[in-house]
Amino acid sequence: MISETDVMQIIVYAGNAKSLAMNAIKEAKGGEIVAAKKMLEESKSNMKIAHQHHTDILQTFASNPDESANMFLTHAQDHMMAAITVTDFTKEFIDLHEEMQELRTLIRENR
């Protein structure tokens, strides 16, 4: 049986992953690329834990077809999908800010 605690783990870790990813974007925007990359890695670690809890729940469904899903689980999955999306885009934003920073440095050096 799937407990609320199992489902809550997805919400907690996915929420952490999303928050860390959003903060990583802010760091990158402020020019702190190293800090941003570190936060992104921490975000990915949290996402991995959320994903493992989700996998465990899916295995419960696979082994017990009579197991019922509920809105709380749907809410957790929504959190996880949003966190995955934000984490994926964060990598792109960090790369973009890093490139912009490098271009600004080149422009200053060539004035």
Side-chain angles (χ1 to χ4, degrees):
M1 178 172 183
I2 297 167
S3 72
E4 287 184 1
T5 303
D6 295 329
V7 176
M8 195 63 194
Q9 294 302 307
I10 297 170
I11 294 170
V12 168
Y13 284 102
N16 288 345
K18 184 178 172 191
S19 293
L20 285 160
M22 293 302 295
N23 285 329
I25 293 170
K26 288 178 189 174
E27 289 292 322
K29 187 176 180 179
E32 300 296 330
I33 303 301
V34 173
K37 287 180 179 181
K38 184 178 179 193
M39 279 186 182
L40 178 57
E41 288 309 310
E42 194 175 341
S43 172
K44 288 179 181 180
S45 293
N46 276 266
M47 199 64 248
K48 187 175 180 178
I49 295 168
H51 189 263
Q52 184 57 56
H53 284 286
H54 187 251
T55 300
D56 293 345
I57 289 171
L58 291 178
Q59 288 174 342
T60 299
F61 280 117
S63 64
N64 184 4
D66 295 329
E67 184 74 43
S68 62
N70 59 40
M71 288 302 293
F72 192 46
L73 178 57
T74 302
H75 178 67
Q77 289 176 293
D78 183 51
H79 267 281
M80 194 173 81
M81 294 308 298
I84 290 168
T85 301
V86 170
T87 302
D88 289 347
F89 279 123
T90 296
K91 166 86 171 79
E92 298 303 318
F93 281 118
I94 291 171
D95 290 347
L96 180 63
H97 283 293
E98 185 174 30
E99 205 172 302
M100 288 173 48
Q101 195 174 47
E102 290 169 0
L103 287 171
R104 284 186 196 117
T105 300
L106 280 172
I107 290 169
R108 280 188 212 113
E109 290 173 355
N110 291 317
R111 282 188 180 170

